[in-house]
Amino acid sequence: MKLPVIKHLTSFIKENDEDYVLETIETLEALTEVSSIKDEELDVIGELISNMYGALEVQKSIKEGVPEKEAINQFMKRVLGSIDK
């Protein structure tokens, strides 16, 4: 996951609507089913999808009243904690 991408997507969701991101995730997930897609392309799509889900999680925390910076930091700590295990 890339923190700058998650921050940018979080701003995008705030300015627009999270439905755009959800629909993009659905589209990217559908693309993964194309039989001719290469492993490297799947890796990129997977990274994009994970960043989008991350931004949605951050936005959910913000809606619950957590300040944006704190929401991002909490999310990244959870991600890093799950990687360390």
Side-chain angles (χ1 to χ4, degrees), residues 1-2 5-6 9 21 24-25 28 41-55:
M1 292 195 171
K2 304 262 188 220
V5 174
I6 292 173
L9 287 169
V21 175
T24 302
I25 290 170
L28 290 172
E41 294 166 330
L42 282 174
D43 289 344
V44 171
I45 292 171
E47 182 71 17
L48 289 169
I49 290 171
S50 67
N51 284 315
M52 289 180 189
Y53 275 124

Side-chain angles (χ1 to χ4, degrees), residues 8-21 59 63:
H8 185 78
L9 287 169
T10 300
S11 294
F12 176 85
I13 292 168
K14 185 169 50 174
E15 293 170 12
N16 297 284
D17 191 300
E18 67 184 38
D19 288 341
Y20 288 108
V21 175
Q59 186 62 29
K63 280 184 179 178

Side-chain angles (χ1 to χ4, degrees), residues 7-85:
K7 285 181 177 180
H8 185 78
L9 287 169
T10 300
S11 294
F12 176 85
I13 292 168
K14 185 169 50 174
E15 293 170 12
N16 297 284
D17 191 300
E18 67 184 38
D19 288 341
Y20 288 108
V21 175
L22 290 169
E23 290 170 359
T24 302
I25 290 170
E26 290 176 20
T27 303
L28 290 172
E29 287 175 343
L31 283 174
T32 64
E33 298 171 9
V34 175
S35 61
S36 62
I37 203 157
K38 298 175 185 169
D39 287 342
E40 301 85 32
E41 294 166 330
L42 282 174
D43 289 344
V44 171
I45 292 171
E47 182 71 17
L48 289 169
I49 290 171
S50 67
N51 284 315
M52 289 180 189
Y53 275 124
L56 289 169
E57 284 294 316
V58 170
Q59 186 62 29
K60 179 181 173 189
S61 293
I62 292 169
K63 280 184 179 178
E64 293 171 352
V66 178
E68 184 174 343
K69 186 174 182 175
E70 187 178 332
I72 290 170
N73 288 336
Q74 288 175 355
F75 175 76
M76 291 310 291
K77 284 179 185 176
R78 282 197 325 257
V79 169
L80 294 174
S82 68
I83 292 171
D84 290 338
K85 293 181 181 182

